[in-house]
Each structure stands twice: as C-alpha cells, then as structure tokens.
C-alpha cells in the first residue's frame, strides 16, 4: 500500500465509517476489514491519527483499528503478520511525539503503545523506556503529561506478564528505573503541595494529575517489580513515606472545595496511596512486616479517634478498615498451634500485632464500631421512609453495597471479634446488660444505640454461643420488644427479628418455635414495609434450618402463606419481589403436599407477574424456581397449571429466544419436574419437546438434565413419544456419540436402554441406527468398563425381550463384519462372558444372565460351545440376587416384585412422584423383577436336557467347572 496514494483513500473510507447512515457505514467497514491484512495499512493509520488537523472522530477510529490490528497481526506467528520492517517503522513513529491534544485519543495511543511493548519490549524495542524517561523530564506540560500517561500504561502492561522470563525482565526494568520513578513522584508531589495554597486551580489540577500518574507507575513497580522488596532501601523508604504523604494530602483536603474536579482527583490519589499498601501486603506479607505497626497506628487513629474528623471520607475509611482487616486475618501472621513450628517471620509479625492490639485498643475499636459506625444514619433513616424497598435492597447487598461503609464495618467487627473473642466478649455482654428492658420511644438516640448493639450480637452469634442464654433472652427481652407497636420503635422491631434469624441456626430451642411463628405472623402484618420484608427473611432462615419441624409449622402455614402472598403483591421493586418469591418457594419446598389448599391465590397471580416481568429476567428466574416447588407440592394436580406452565417452559428452553440465556437452567428443571409429576401426556406437553434438538446440539452443562427429560417422556408415554420424535432424537444421538465424553455416551445409551425396557417392540425399531454401534462396541471389546456395561445392558434387553429383532440385527452385523452369523454370535457371547465383571449393577448382571440363558435350549454347536460361559454367568447372577431365607433354609430371588406396594412415607421423606409410580408399575412387567433367575435356569437346563438327551446333556455339563456345578446344584435344591 503506497502511503501517499493510500492515505487519501483510507481517510475517505474512515470518514464514511464514522457516518450514522448504515448504507454508507457498512460498505466502509467491509473495505476497512479487507485492508486490515494489507502491507502499509497501519502506517497509513499512524499518519492519520497523528495528524491533529483531521476530524477527531476519524482519528479516534484510526486509533481503534490500529489497536485491534496489534491484537491480530503483530505477533510473528499470526496469519497475515506485519513485516518486521513495517513494525520497526511503526514503533519509531509511535514515540516520536507525545503531543496528542485530545485526552481520549491520548489514552488510546498510550494503551496501544503498551500493547506493542507487551510483545516487543525490551528485546525488539530497547529504546522505548529510555525515550519515555527522557520525555517525562521535558518542561512542556502537554508532552510531559502524555509521556507520563504512556509510561504508566507500559509499566502496568509489563507488570501483568506472568511467565518466569517476563517476570525476570520486569524485575530488571524495575531495578533500573525505580530511583527515577521515586524522584519523579516526589517532584510532582512537592510541586502539588506547594501549589495547593496558591489558589490557581488549573495549576493545582495539572500537578495533581502528574502526581497521580507517577504514583500509579510506582505502585506497579513496588508491588510487582521485586522478589524481596524488603531488601531494597528505596522501596521500603517509599512505603514508609506513604503515611506522611497521606497526612499531607488529607490536610490538603481542608483547602479544596468539596464539589470540584480537584477534590475528585485528590481523593483518587489518597485512595491510590492505600491501594499501594493493600496490594503490597497482599503480594509480600512478610516484606510488609516492618509496616504493620505504622499501618495499624495510622488506620486506627484516623478511623477510630478524633484525628480523622474533618479530613476523612467514606472510601478512605473503607480502605483503612480493609488494611486493618487484612493484617488481622493474614494467615502469614498466624502462628501454628505449636509455636515452635512457626517461621521466625510469622512470629515477628504476630508479636507486632499482639503488642498493638492491647485490651484498651481492642475495647475502643469495638465500642467505636458499634456506637458510631453501626448507627443508622440520617440518610439511611430518610431512605427507609422515602424508599423502603430501596433501603432493604441496600441493606441486603445492592450493587453499591460491597463498596459502602456499613458492610465494611460489619466485616471488620466480625473478623476482630473472631480473632480476639476472649477479650471482646465481656465488652459486648456489658453493652447488652446496659440495654435490658424496653427503651423510651421518644429517645431516638437510645433506640439507635440498642439497634447497633443488637446488630453486633447478631453478627457475633457463633462467638457468643457459650456466653448468651439466647432462649431466656428471647422470651424475656426480645419477644416483648417485638410487641411494641409504636412507629418510632420500628428500627428495633426490624432489628430484633433479624437478630433472631442470625441465632436460629446457632442456639434456639425447638420448643420455642411456635412462639416465634406467632411473632412472625404478627410482624408480617406490621404497618412498616421494611419490618415485613425483614420478617420474611427470618422466616426463610427458620424453615431452612436443620431443626425445622413441619408439625410445629402447619398451624401457622395458612396465615403465613396468605401474608407472604400479600407482601409479594404489595412490593414493586424487582429485587424485593424476587426475595419474597424465594421465601415462598422455601416454604412450599419444606411443607410439600401440605401447601395444596393454600396456593390458589399464588397460582392465579404468577401469570400476571410473569407478564409484568418481561424485561426482568432475574425475576423470571425466581418465578421459575417458585413454579418448580409448586409443581412438586401439587404433584399430579399440577396438570391444572399447564395453560400457564407449558408456555413458560416453551419460552425458557427455546434457544432461539434471547431470554434463554438467563432462563434455560431453571426452565429445564421446571420441565423435568413437570414431567415427573404429570399424570398423563397431553398434546401440548408432547409438543414442547420440539425444543430439545437444538438443546442437544448445544452440548452444554445442561445435557444431563436434557437426558432426564427424555427419559421422563419415555416413562410417561413411550409409544406416542417415540412415534413422534424417535427419528430426530436418534439422529441427534448419533451425532452426539461421535463427539462426547464417556459419561455422555453412557447417558445416551441409558436413554436407549430405558426405551427398550419400557417398549421392547417399538424401542429397538426406533433406535435401530444406534444398535449396530452397540453391537460393534461389544464385539471389539469397548475399553471403558462403564460404557461396556451399558452396551451389554442395551443388548441384553434386545436379546431377552425382542428375539426376532436380535436375529435381524445379528444378520445385519454378520454382513458388515463379513462373518457367519453363528461365528459372530459366538464371538459376542465370548466377549460378554469375558467382560461380565464390567457390570456392577445387580439388575444388569441378572439381565445378562437371563439374556444369555434365553439362547437355550439350542442344538447350535456355537451356543453349545459357549455353554460353559453361559452357566458361569448364570451362577454369578445367582450369587448376586439370591438370598437365603433363615427360617426355611431355602434361597429366593431378592429382585422379584410380586405386587405394587405403597411404601409408607415418613415426614422427612418426599412422597413418590407420578414418575416414581410409573417406574414401579414398569418394574412389575420387567423380566428382571418378574422372572425368577433360579427357576429360569432350571427350566432352560431341563429343556436343553430334553433336546439333547441325558447322555448329550451330561457331556455338555462336563464342560463346566465342577465347583460351578456344585454351586449351581445348591441353588437349584428343591426343583
């Protein structure tokens, strides 16, 4: 591509590619795509985006195409790779001038230089770092800033490389430039501190921007550039100096307004200081040991004393708390139970921690956390009043939750309390003691203090197990608090019911549950929405608990279910509806069939909610989960839900519909439980199986559920299902078997085996294309035992239950193998006998014995030649299934089922589904469960004896090992 002639053409096409008109845009994009692999194209792009007189949008697009080209064509091994000559020219052009006037384009250029550096620096691009170092020294503000921006992105990219050789190169780079980076940062920092008081906002912002960028460079070098950073005096000097710099920057915040760009940049710089410490602690815990004392003193003074008043801000407090937490929890600083087994470094760090966390310090931290940071703020109380659902979402982990102060303080409290519980338990118990009895509703501060202490008692529930008699406290203090209905008492009603939820799985007598259920019923009618939502959460924790008893819960079920349903209707936020639905699902799941009288209202409401949630896929997932539990609870009665249920399944499992990305997993589970609980097939239920073929093509993690669904249809209505879908299903299976794991093969073959078991006549015909593969696998001795076992299970069904089909299959395979049928049959029997040990399931082992015995009586010489093996397998089968009756001393087949027994279901067991009943009915027709192996052997041997005569039969029996014959005679006593 000639640069001069091409530049005009490329510029024109890039201009067209920025058009909003798709008829202009699309052809331009196609043309640019074709040019991507043309030599000289990227040189043209470089000329375009470095020409500051051109349109910004065109230059922006040129940078993006250049950046994408690096990813695709810069590596030497890439198809259509750039030539070394062009790459050399481009590298030189990229660092000729650092004078890009547009910030966004400057950032993109810095990123693309870093991408090239990742691949070429320092070997093919040794001049990059020296050029950057020289450029950040220039006096021109723009050039200095752009060079510094590029320096940061290059450092960041090189620091992220993980191969040992790359790490070594970065260590060498860091050692070489660390002094310069430190002096650069100190220079810009000092300049900023001098200019803060000048009042020149533009100059302050400019120097602060450089301070921030140079600190970003130092962060990467400090954290990633040294194997043993504690041995480098400059590194440790920089880290020790952070605390003084932090103090200076925090003091500067007094002189900068709260609502401008400078303030934002200043806070980012302060946070970056703390990130350096946190990252260094994470990567080099033992190198951090000399910094433990200073870090704790600094963080505790600014967070828990008056030192921080007027200068700290929320994100800074969060970072300081994270620093304390990481030091407290760090495993590197925790000695072994046997101190002698701990390293000197660990013991040194532990000693510093213990010296700092004295009783007064721990007590003050604990009290400040509870009495200051745990208090509900004015902002939170206002939100409670104006947006109660927003308040509950924020409290239970909204999007901004993990970055906000409250959860951070709670986690710090739990970590410190766990680490120092012997010291802090008496402190918290004393705080509890001072709050006994009711609190004056007019004293809002006292109410909020009690709320905070109860929060602490809930968070520390496991640590307080032996110190608090929670049952007595529940009866004497907490229950009466729940009965105070004054509006100003609602923070405490909400906190108390939350607190009970925290203790329910820790220490709560089962006998007290009815009292709690009574309280929950009352609170679900509370005038305050937040209290009702919190009560629903505690209800879920209660029914999920290991000691939950249905009999205690049933008297309150109707009231609770009705009130939960009303709450579901009342709330409007998607997250809250999901939460209440989840509680309803848990209740339905625990009481199962007992829910039937009360679900009418919910069943009528869910279609409306489904329609309203069209744009909220996560809410739809919650509805699917609720429907799963509803179907399980309703059993066969769930058929009444089909007008709503089946279209929901149809949409959720249709891979051509965009929502399937969110709904598929739950949709498949709902489809499965619907089949399992269906009393009979319906045309609509049969029709949604059309969704299955694309699902099988996906071969995703949901494949196992798909196979269960296919089995569900086979058990439900094998004839209709196979006649409608077997051809397509068989085609999908054949494709799957070519490219699937061993487990996947077994799942496919189990479906075929079930089809043969349920429908011995139609099954083999419908899955005929798969059976030759099974036959071949047996003859060739499939190497995976679990696959071979399934092959033998499938062939056993054909041989035992459809002899004519087996004969035609044998004929077909003899033709394919170019062998005589008898010879092939002999080979199959021989392999079957040889690989019998691959079969571990008793049912399949008995099936194999029955199947091979079904070849008798026979005067076929091949079968007679394999007679010994058939008898061996039969005796093995007898050992598997025969049990001795201790009273009569006779043997009986333990797999025989004579009638349909309805087992008694205990309270903890789920009642049998309709599919369970179908399987039971099927078992009553299955030869494995209806034919006595003992009697079958006897009859087959007797028939063989009659066919051959006494002498011929005796000759045949002499081919069997005498020990096997003796065992056989023992089993056949009485016949």
């Amino acid at each position: 591509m000639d640069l001069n002639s091409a530049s005009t053409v490329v510029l024109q096409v890039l201009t067209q590619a920025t058009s909003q008109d798709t008829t202009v845009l699309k052809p331009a994009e196609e043309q640019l795509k074709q040019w991507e692999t043309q030599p000289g194209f990227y040189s043209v792009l470089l000329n375009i985006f470095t020409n500051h007189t051109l349109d910004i949008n065109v230059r922006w697009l040129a940078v993006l195409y250049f950046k994408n080209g690096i990813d695709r064509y810069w590596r030497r091994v890439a198809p259509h790779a750039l030539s070394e000559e062009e790459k050399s020219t481009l590298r030189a052009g990229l660092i000729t001038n650092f004078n890009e006037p547009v910030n966004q384009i400057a950032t993109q250029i810095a990123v693309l230089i870093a991408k090239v550096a990742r691949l070429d620096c320092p070997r093919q691009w040794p001049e990059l770092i020296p050029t950057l170092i020289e450029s950040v020294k220039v006096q021109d503000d723009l050039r200095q800033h752009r060079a510094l921006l590029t320096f940061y992105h290059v450092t960041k990219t090189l620091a992220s490389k993980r191969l040992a050789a790359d790490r070594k190169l970065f260590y060498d780079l860091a050692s070489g430039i660390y002094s310069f980076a430190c002096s650069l940062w100190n220079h810009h920092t000092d300049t900023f501190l001098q200019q803060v008081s000048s009042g020149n906002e533009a100059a302050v912002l400019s120097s602060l921007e450089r301070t921030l960028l140079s600190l970003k460079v130092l962060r990467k070098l400090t954290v990633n550039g040294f194997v043993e950073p504690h041995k480098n005096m400059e590194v440790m000097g920089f880290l020790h100096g952070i605390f003084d710099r932090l103090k200076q920057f925090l003091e500067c915040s007094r002189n900068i307004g709260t609502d401008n760009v400078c303030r934002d940049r200043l806070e980012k710089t302060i946070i970056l200081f703390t990130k350096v410490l946190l990252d260094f602690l994470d990567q080099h815990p033992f190198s951090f040991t000399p910094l433990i004392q200073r870090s704790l003193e600094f963080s505790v003074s600014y967070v828990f004393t008056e030192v921080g008043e007027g200068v700290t801000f929320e994100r800074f407090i969060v970072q300081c708390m994270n620093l304390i937490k990481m030091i407290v929890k760090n495993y590197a600083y925790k000695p072994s139970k046997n101190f002698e087994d701990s390293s000197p470094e660990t013991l040194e760090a532990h000693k510093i921690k213990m010296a700092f966390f004295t009783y007064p310090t721990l007590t003050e931290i604990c009290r400040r956390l509870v009495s200051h940071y745990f208090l509900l703020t004015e902002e939170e109380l206002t939100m409670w009043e104006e947006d109660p659902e927003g308040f509950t979402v924020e409290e239970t982990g909204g999007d901004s939750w993990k970055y906000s102060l409250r959860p951070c303080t709670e986690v710090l409290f739990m970590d410190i309390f766990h680490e120092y519980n012997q010291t802090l338990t008496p402190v918290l118990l004393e705080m509890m003691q001072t709050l006994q009895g009711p609190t004056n509703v007019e004293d809002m501060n006292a109410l909020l203090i009690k709320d905070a202490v109860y929060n602490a008692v809930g968070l520390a529930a496991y640590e307080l197990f032996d110190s608090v008699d929670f049952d007595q406290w529940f009866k004497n203090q907490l229950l009466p608090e729940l009965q105070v209905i004054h509006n100003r008492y609602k923070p405490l009603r909400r906190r108390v019911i939350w607190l009970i939820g925290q203790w329910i799985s820790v220490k709560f007598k089962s006998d007290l549950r009815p009292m709690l259920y009574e309280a929950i019923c009352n609170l679900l009618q509370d005038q305050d929405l937040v209290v009702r939502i919190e009560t629903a959460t505690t209800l879920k924790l209660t029914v999920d608990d290991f000691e939950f008893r249905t009999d205690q819960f049933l008297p309150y079920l109707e009231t609770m279910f009705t009130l939960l349903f009303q709450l579901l209707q009342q709330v409007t936020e998607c997250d809250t509806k999901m939460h209440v639905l989840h509680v309803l699902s848990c209740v339905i799941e625990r009481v199962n069939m007992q829910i039937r009288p009360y679900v009418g209202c919910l069943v009528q409401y869910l279609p409306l909610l489904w329609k309203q949630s069209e744009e909220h896929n996560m809410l739809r997932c919650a509805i699917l989960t609720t429907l799963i539990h509803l179907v399980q609870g309703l059993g066969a009665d769930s058929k009444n839900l089909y007008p709503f249920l089946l279209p929901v399944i149809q949409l959720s499992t249709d891979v051509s519909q965009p929502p399937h990305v969110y709904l598929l997993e739950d949709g498949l589970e709902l489809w499965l439980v619907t089949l399992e609980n269906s009393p009979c097939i319906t045309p609509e239920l049969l029709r949604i199986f059309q969704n299955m073929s694309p699902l099988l093509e996906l071969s995703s993690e949901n494949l196992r559920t798909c196979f269960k669904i296919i089995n569900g249809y086979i058990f439900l209505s094998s004839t209709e299902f196979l006649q409608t879908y077997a051809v397509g299903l068989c085609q999908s299976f054949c494709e799957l078997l070519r490219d699937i794991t061993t487990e996947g093969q077994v799942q496919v073959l189990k479906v075929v085996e079930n089809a043969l078991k349920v429908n011995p006549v139609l099954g083999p015909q419908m899955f005929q294309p798969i059976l030759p593969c099974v036959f071949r696998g047996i003859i060739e001795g499939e190497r995976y035992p679990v696959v071979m076992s399934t092959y033998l299970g499938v062939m056993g069904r054909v041989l035992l239950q459809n002899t004519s089909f087996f004969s035609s299959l044998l004929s077909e395979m003899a033709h394919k193998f170019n062998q005589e049928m008898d010879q092939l049959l002999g080979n199959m029997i021989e392999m079957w006998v040889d690989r019998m040990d691959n079969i571990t399931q008793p049912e399949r082992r008995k099936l194999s014995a029955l199947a091979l015995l079904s070849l008798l009586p026979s005067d076929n010489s091949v079968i007679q030649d394999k007679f010994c093996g058939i008898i061996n397998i039969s005796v093995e089968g007898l050992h598997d299934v025969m049990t001795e009756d201790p009273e009569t001393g006779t043997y009986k087949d333990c797999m025989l089922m004579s009638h349909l027994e309805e087992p008694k279901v205990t309270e903890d067991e789920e009642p049998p589904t309709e599919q369970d009943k179908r399987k039971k009915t099927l078992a009553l027709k299955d030869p494995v469960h209806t034919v006595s192996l003992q009697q079958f052997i006897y009859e087959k041997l007797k028939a063989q004896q009659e066919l051959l005569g006494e002498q011929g039969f005796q000759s045949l029996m002499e081919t069997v090992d005498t020990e096997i014959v003796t065992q056989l005679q023992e089993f056949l006593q009485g016949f």
Side-chain angles (χ1 to χ4, degrees):
M1 188 176 272
D2 177 61
L3 286 188
N4 294 325
S5 60
S7 289
T8 309
V9 181
V10 174
L11 181 60
Q12 184 181 358
V13 175
L14 279 169
T15 306
Q16 291 167 351
T18 62
S19 171
Q20 301 297 313
D21 184 349
T22 53
T23 58
V24 176
L25 171 68
K26 290 293 179 188
E29 287 180 336
E30 284 300 316
Q31 181 60 70
L32 289 166
K33 190 170 181 61
Q34 290 175 21
W35 283 338
E36 279 181 0
T37 55
Q38 291 291 312
F41 176 59
Y42 294 96
S43 298
V44 173
L45 290 178
L46 176 63
N47 286 346
I48 290 172
F49 70 69
T50 53
N51 184 345
H52 305 158
T53 63
L54 298 176
D55 179 70
I56 289 176
N57 292 325
V58 172
R59 293 174 56 227
W60 170 263
L61 200 57
V63 171
L64 292 186
Y65 269 94
F66 193 106
K67 194 171 74 169
N68 293 337
I70 296 169
D71 292 331
R72 292 174 189 155
Y73 309 114
W74 199 274
R75 294 177 192 274
R76 271 181 268 187
V77 295
H80 310 292
L82 276 73
S83 68
E84 291 303 315
E85 294 77 17
E86 186 173 5
K87 287 199 288 187
S88 179
T89 306
L90 293 172
R91 284 193 293 262
L94 285 170
I95 56 173
T96 302
N97 291 304
F98 294 100
N99 60 350
E100 173 54 56
V102 181
N103 283 332
Q104 294 92 327
I105 295 177
T107 301
Q108 289 300 320
I109 292 172
V111 169
L112 70 83
I113 290 173
K115 280 180 176 286
V116 175
R118 185 179 183 86
L119 300 170
D120 290 358
C121 183
R123 293 187 179 90
Q124 285 82 36
W125 206 2
E127 65 274 17
L128 172 62
I129 300 298
T131 303
L132 288 172
I133 289 174
E134 287 306 311
S135 300
V136 297
K137 295 176 182 175
V138 300
Q139 295 304 306
D140 183 286
D141 279 358
L142 180 66
R143 290 174 188 274
Q144 186 187 70
H145 179 272
R146 297 319 191 214
L148 194 50
L149 179 68
T150 307
F151 192 24
Y152 160 61
H153 280 285
V154 168
T155 311
K156 177 184 175 184
T157 300
L158 294 179
S160 68
K161 298 179 80 172
R162 287 289 167 261
L163 292 177
D166 295 326
R167 304 294 314 130
K168 174 72 170 61
L169 286 171
F170 190 69
Y171 295 149
D172 294 342
L173 171 67
S175 299
I177 66 172
Y178 198 82
S179 292
F180 171 74
C182 273
S183 61
L184 184 70
W185 171 70
N186 275 316
H187 166 71
H188 288 307
T189 303
D190 290 338
T191 304
F192 161 71
L193 292 170
Q194 288 163 13
Q195 290 177 338
V196 165
S197 56
S198 70
N200 185 341
E201 192 172 313
V204 170
L205 187 59
S206 176
S207 59
L208 186 53
E209 186 71 35
R210 284 159 179 69
T211 303
L212 187 59
L213 282 172
S214 54
L215 183 56
K216 284 182 175 181
V217 172
L218 261 184
R219 177 191 178 194
K220 292 299 174 187
L221 294 175
T222 304
V223 174
N224 303 106
F226 300 89
V227 180
E228 297 178 305
H230 59 282
K231 294 183 178 178
N232 187 301
M233 288 179 62
E234 280 189 300
V235 171
M236 298 311 290
F238 162 66
L239 290 167
H240 279 290
I242 282 180
F243 301 103
D244 291 328
R245 289 300 198 189
L246 263 172
K247 288 178 182 177
Q248 291 173 324
F249 274 68
L250 286 164
E251 282 304 314
C252 284
S253 65
R254 297 185 193 274
N255 302 322
I256 293 179
T258 57
D259 190 25
N260 60 26
V261 180
C262 275
R263 179 75 188 197
D264 177 63
R265 281 285 182 273
L266 178 65
E267 291 190 357
K268 279 188 176 176
T269 309
I270 290 169
I271 293 303
L272 190 58
F273 278 123
T274 62
K275 283 182 178 178
V276 174
L277 294 170
L278 286 164
D279 289 353
F280 192 76
L281 171 55
D282 182 55
Q283 294 294 315
H284 308 283
F286 290 128
S287 293
F288 192 87
T289 301
L291 299 162
I292 292 175
Q293 177 79 17
R294 192 80 191 276
S295 298
L296 290 172
E297 286 172 353
F298 177 86
S299 299
V300 169
S301 66
Y302 272 93
V303 174
F304 297 110
T305 73
E306 65 282 350
V307 171
E309 288 178 12
V311 294
T312 58
F313 51 96
E314 187 170 298
R315 187 79 194 279
F316 172 71
I317 294 170
V318 167
Q319 292 291 89
C320 287
M321 286 185 174
N322 284 337
L323 189 57
I324 298 168
K325 182 182 72 176
M326 279 184 71
I327 293 171
V328 167
K329 283 188 71 177
N330 205 304
Y331 284 108
Y333 303 157
K334 290 186 178 181
S336 306
K337 287 186 178 177
N338 186 357
F339 260 61
E340 289 78 29
D341 296 337
S342 305
S343 69
E345 294 87 355
T346 298
L347 292 176
E348 173 66 19
H350 179 68
K351 182 180 170 186
I352 296 169
K353 269 174 58 179
M354 295 306 290
F356 178 80
F357 286 114
T358 60
Y359 176 79
T361 302
L362 285 168
T363 303
E364 184 57 28
I365 290 174
C366 180
R367 289 189 184 280
R368 285 278 292 181
L369 280 169
V370 176
S371 63
H372 178 71
Y373 288 106
F374 279 14
L375 290 181
L376 286 169
T377 64
E378 278 296 326
E379 185 184 358
E380 287 170 324
L381 291 170
T382 302
M383 189 178 188
W384 183 326
E385 292 298 332
E386 295 176 358
D387 182 14
E389 289 186 57
F391 175 83
T392 57
V393 169
E394 197 73 23
E395 282 283 297
T396 53
D399 290 340
S400 61
W401 187 78
K402 61 182 176 181
Y403 301 113
S404 63
L405 187 54
R406 180 167 296 283
C408 186
T409 59
E410 291 178 352
V411 171
L412 178 62
F413 172 81
M414 287 190 287
D415 288 338
I416 289 182
F417 204 94
H418 175 75
E419 192 74 14
Y420 303 102
N421 62 77
Q422 288 185 322
T423 303
L424 293 176
T425 295
V427 178
L428 189 52
L429 291 177
E430 182 196 332
M431 294 171 86
M432 283 174 60
Q433 285 299 320
T434 61
L435 299 172
Q436 292 300 323
T439 304
N440 183 356
V441 293
E442 301 302 325
D443 189 346
M444 196 62 190
N445 188 55
L447 290 172
L448 293 179
I449 288 286
K450 185 180 267 193
D451 174 84
V453 173
Y454 282 4
N455 187 13
V457 175
L459 294 172
Y462 285 97
E463 310 298 336
L464 295 172
F465 179 86
D466 292 320
S467 305
V468 174
D469 184 348
F470 191 79
D471 297 330
Q472 284 300 316
W473 198 41
F474 169 75
K475 286 189 291 187
N476 299 337
Q477 173 78 15
L478 300 181
L479 262 185
E481 300 234 57
L482 290 177
Q483 290 157 6
V484 180
I485 59 172
H486 196 284
N487 184 51
R488 297 189 74 179
Y489 217 77
K490 65 186 179 187
L492 272 181
R493 289 199 300 277
R494 172 239 179 194
R495 180 60 69 193
V496 168
I497 199 63
W498 170 87
L499 171 63
I500 294 165
Q502 302 308 298
W503 276 83
I504 201 82
S505 60
V506 178
K507 194 178 190 180
F508 196 83
K509 261 190 190 166
S510 180
D511 296 349
L512 297 176
R513 298 255 172 163
M515 295 169 70
L516 174 58
Y517 295 146
E518 192 75 45
I520 287 174
C521 286
N522 291 332
L523 287 174
L524 283 173
Q525 301 171 70
D526 196 276
Q527 58 192 347
D528 185 77
L529 183 58
V530 173
V531 173
R532 294 205 297 280
I533 293 170
E534 194 65 68
T535 303
T537 307
T538 295
L539 174 58
K540 177 191 171 296
L541 294 170
T542 307
V543 298
D544 271 350
D545 185 52
F546 181 71
E547 293 188 11
F548 174 80
R549 279 171 40 195
T550 310
D551 61 315
Q552 288 181 321
F553 187 71
L554 286 178
Y556 307 93
L557 174 59
E558 182 177 7
T559 303
M560 284 195 194
F561 198 85
T562 303
L563 293 169
L564 281 171
F565 173 65
Q566 289 171 3
L567 180 60
L568 177 65
Q569 287 180 300
Q570 184 184 357
V571 296
T572 56
E573 293 290 329
C574 181
D575 285 335
T576 326
K577 281 191 180 290
M578 283 167 57
H579 178 60
V580 180
L581 267 177
H582 191 45
V583 179
L584 280 163
S585 294
C586 290
V587 171
I588 295 168
E589 185 180 15
R590 289 315 295 259
V591 301
N592 206 289
M593 295 169 63
Q594 310 273 11
I595 199 66
R596 292 181 183 181
Y598 315 118
V599 294
C601 54
L602 181 63
V603 166
Q604 289 177 344
Y605 176 65
L606 284 178
L608 174 64
L609 185 58
W610 179 263
K611 190 174 181 182
Q612 290 171 343
S613 61
E614 196 168 350
E615 302 299 317
H616 303 283
N617 286 309
M618 299 314 292
L619 177 52
R620 285 196 158 184
C621 286
I623 296 171
L624 288 172
T625 304
T626 306
L627 284 170
I628 289 166
H629 295 308
L630 259 179
V631 170
Q632 289 170 328
L634 291 171
D637 291 345
S638 61
K639 189 184 176 195
N640 299 326
L641 298 182
Y642 284 6
F644 167 55
L645 199 60
L646 300 187
V648 165
I649 296 171
Q650 164 72 39
L651 174 72
S652 305
T653 59
D654 184 351
V655 296
S656 69
Q657 298 289 335
H660 90 273
V661 175
Y662 303 94
L663 307 180
L664 181 58
E665 188 174 344
D666 292 317
L668 286 171
E669 192 63 34
L670 178 58
W671 192 355
L672 177 60
V673 299
T674 299
L675 284 169
E676 288 173 342
N677 289 279
S678 178
C680 59
I681 195 73
T682 69
E684 295 77 18
L685 186 55
L686 191 62
R687 195 177 302 123
I688 57 174
F689 193 80
Q690 292 169 0
N691 283 3
M692 184 56 71
S693 182
L695 288 166
L696 293 175
E697 287 173 21
L698 279 180
S699 295
S700 67
E701 64 276 6
N702 295 309
L703 211 49
R704 185 187 292 271
T705 311
C706 291
F707 287 131
K708 287 180 180 177
I709 288 167
I710 298 167
N711 282 322
Y713 275 103
I714 288 170
F715 290 126
L716 180 60
S717 180
S718 63
T719 303
E720 282 183 82
F721 172 68
L722 292 174
Q723 285 175 342
T724 310
Y725 292 110
V727 174
L729 191 59
C730 197
Q731 188 177 344
S732 295
F733 279 179
C734 288
E735 289 170 9
L736 271 174
L737 287 169
R738 289 192 205 109
D739 182 29
I740 199 171
T741 61
T742 303
E743 186 188 356
Q745 287 181 36
V746 171
Q747 294 296 330
V748 169
L749 293 167
K750 278 184 177 176
V751 172
V752 177
E753 188 179 11
N754 282 330
L756 301 178
K757 185 196 299 186
V758 176
N759 205 320
V761 177
L762 195 56
Q765 295 171 17
M766 292 301 178
F767 288 106
Q768 192 277 330
I770 292 175
L771 295 176
C773 163
V774 174
F775 197 102
R776 182 183 292 275
I778 295 171
I779 293 294
E780 294 177 353
E782 163 63 45
R783 63 194 179 110
Y784 290 109
V786 66
V787 177
M788 186 63 161
S789 168
T790 321
Y791 280 164
L792 294 174
V794 169
M795 200 50 62
R797 287 285 168 193
V798 177
L799 178 55
L800 180 62
Q801 294 181 263
N802 198 328
T803 312
S804 61
F805 189 89
F806 178 79
S807 299
S808 63
L809 177 63
L810 185 63
S811 172
E812 179 191 341
M813 296 309 294
H815 179 71
K816 283 186 179 178
F817 277 99
N818 198 22
Q819 289 184 16
E820 292 295 320
M821 283 176 63
D822 285 353
Q823 183 189 354
L824 192 61
L825 176 61
N827 292 344
M828 188 190 79
I829 296 170
E830 189 172 328
M831 187 58 72
W832 203 320
V833 172
D834 183 55
R835 299 294 291 275
M836 183 68 177
D837 285 345
N838 288 168
I839 307 175
T840 55
Q841 304 93 328
E843 291 86 352
R844 266 202 202 137
R845 290 176 68 81
K846 180 177 176 181
L847 174 67
S848 285
L850 291 171
L852 291 176
L853 281 166
S854 70
L855 295 168
L856 302 177
S858 174
D859 55 3
N860 184 312
S861 60
V862 171
I863 293 176
Q864 290 187 20
D865 186 46
K866 307 301 177 189
F867 180 79
C868 170
I870 294 172
I871 296 303
N872 284 351
I873 281 183
S874 302
V875 173
E876 277 189 45
L878 286 169
H879 279 292
D880 291 328
V881 303
M882 300 302 284
T883 54
E884 188 175 2
D885 188 333
E887 293 181 10
T888 62
T890 56
Y891 289 96
K892 64 175 183 177
D893 190 331
C894 67
M895 285 195 186
L896 291 180
M897 295 170 63
S898 55
H899 57 86
L900 188 61
E901 294 177 7
E902 283 292 341
K904 289 181 180 177
V905 181
T906 65
E907 184 185 315
D908 296 331
E909 290 179 325
E910 292 184 4
T913 63
E914 295 299 305
Q915 183 162 299
D916 293 331
K917 295 172 187 174
R918 284 191 282 274
K919 285 183 178 179
K920 207 72 175 281
T921 306
L922 175 63
L924 291 171
K925 301 174 186 173
D926 185 352
V928 171
H929 296 293
T930 56
V931 174
S932 163
L933 181 58
Q934 188 184 27
Q935 187 168 347
F936 196 65
I937 293 175
Y938 172 75
E939 289 171 357
K940 288 295 182 180
L941 290 179
K942 193 160 188 269
Q944 187 70 33
Q945 185 180 29
E946 289 171 359
L947 178 67
L948 298 181
E950 184 64 35
Q951 189 175 352
F953 180 69
Q954 279 307 120
S955 299
L956 203 56
M957 287 300 294
E958 284 170 7
T959 64
V960 184
D961 184 85
T962 53
E963 179 60 32
I964 299 293
V965 172
T966 304
Q967 292 174 22
L968 179 62
Q969 287 169 343
E970 275 186 45
F971 280 120
L972 297 183
Q973 277 178 9
F975 280 90

